[in-house]
Amino acid sequence: LDVIHTFLSDRMGSCMFFVGTYRDNEVQIGHALFDLMERLEISNVPLNKVSLTGLDQEHLNEMISDALCLYPRISKSLSDIAFQKTKGNPFFVLEFMQSLQSRGLLLYDSCQKRWVWNEDTIRAEEITDNVLQLLSSKMNRLSKDMQSLLKVMACFGTSTNESVIGYLSESPEYLGVRNGLEGAISDGFVEVNTEGKFKFVHDKVRE
């Protein structure tokens, strides 16, 4: 943090645009991060703070209507349920919608040429209000190779090098780790970043 302060407060021809992020629920008052922000303000470094929250009901409805190619007035009943279950978290919304589709609660009607659902049926179904439990349940149904891969990756932090996967795949205990990686990428749990490393699509997957 001291290095960041030095670079950003340098007025002698320095030209830098810095973006930092943190989670409100993971950083307490008194954390060194807030001290850095205060020092930057004292040094007259232009500082903008942007708070990101979940989508509100209107914007969530716009997102779902775009995804399903429906008018917002038609998708509103579904988006209202999605908002109730996910509080507008885009990642959780995606998991929730995929759950509806996989369970046959969200179907494409070829006759009507549109996605259809029954609001009462969805509300009556035992779909947890906690999407983290929904995600956990989904991961528990994964193949042994995929579960093993995700557990190993979690031990290495937010990202894992190809060399680690290659080394593990040569071990008798982790012969299926390569297949597990392909499945995890296909199912949307893992992605490849710009550095060629494998990373979780969301920190909740790692947890």
Side-chain angles (χ1 to χ4, degrees):
L1 294 181
D2 288 336
V3 174
I4 293 175
H5 178 268
T6 300
F7 276 115
L8 296 180
S9 60
D10 179 16
R11 295 286 183 173
M12 303 300 291
S14 175
C15 183
M16 178 180 291
F17 180 74
F18 179 81
V19 178
T21 64
Y22 67 92
R23 294 177 180 272
D24 290 340
N25 62 330
E26 295 179 0
V27 178
Q28 306 299 323
I29 297 297
H31 191 279
L33 178 63
F34 295 110
D35 178 59
L36 169 63
M37 295 167 66
E38 182 178 351
R39 289 161 58 198
L40 289 174
E41 291 179 337
I42 293 175
S43 300
N44 294 319
V45 177
L47 192 66
N48 292 315
K49 303 174 186 177
V50 179
S51 297
L52 298 180
T53 58
L55 299 172
D56 60 29
Q57 286 182 272
E58 179 181 356
H59 291 145
L60 176 57
N61 187 35
E62 290 177 1
M63 185 179 95
I64 291 179
S65 70
D66 286 344
L68 301 182
C69 297
L70 295 171
Y71 289 116
R73 59 182 172 79
I74 297 177
S75 63
K76 188 176 185 307
S77 63
L78 180 60
S79 67
D80 285 347
I81 299 175
F83 183 82
Q84 175 190 348
K85 302 287 187 179
T86 67
K87 308 307 179 189
N89 183 306
F91 177 73
F92 292 165
V93 171
L94 177 60
E95 290 298 321
F96 177 71
M97 296 294 286
Q98 288 179 339
S99 174
L100 293 182
Q101 193 275 330
S102 65
R103 298 178 62 173
L105 299 176
L106 177 62
L107 300 167
Y108 186 79
D109 189 315
S110 57
C111 294
Q112 298 185 53
K113 292 182 170 44
R114 50 157 285 194
W115 290 92
V116 297
W117 62 91
N118 186 294
E119 180 182 352
D120 293 334
T121 301
I122 293 177
R123 291 188 184 279
E125 283 286 320
E126 294 182 359
I127 300 178
T128 175
D129 286 335
N130 187 336
V131 183
L132 289 179
Q133 293 179 10
L134 182 67
L135 180 60
S136 176
S137 175
K138 178 180 177 181
M139 295 177 71
N140 287 334
R141 295 193 298 270
L142 298 177
S143 69
K144 182 179 179 180
D145 287 343
M146 288 177 63
Q147 290 192 27
S148 178
L149 178 278
L150 294 176
K151 290 177 182 178
V152 169
M153 284 188 60
C155 296
F156 287 90
T158 57
S159 62
T160 307
N161 293 321
E162 164 65 31
S163 59
V164 173
I165 303 298
Y167 176 80
L168 289 173
S169 63
E170 297 176 358
S171 168
E173 186 178 355
Y174 297 103
L175 286 176
V177 73
R178 179 70 63 182
N179 291 333
L181 176 62
E182 294 175 357
I185 294 175
S186 176
D187 284 7
F189 290 107
V190 175
E191 63 184 4
V192 183
N193 64 17
T194 55
E195 299 176 353
K197 295 182 178 181
F198 303 106
K199 59 169 294 196
F200 294 104
V201 296
H202 196 282
D203 60 347
K204 294 302 181 184
V205 176
R206 181 189 174 214
E207 292 176 10

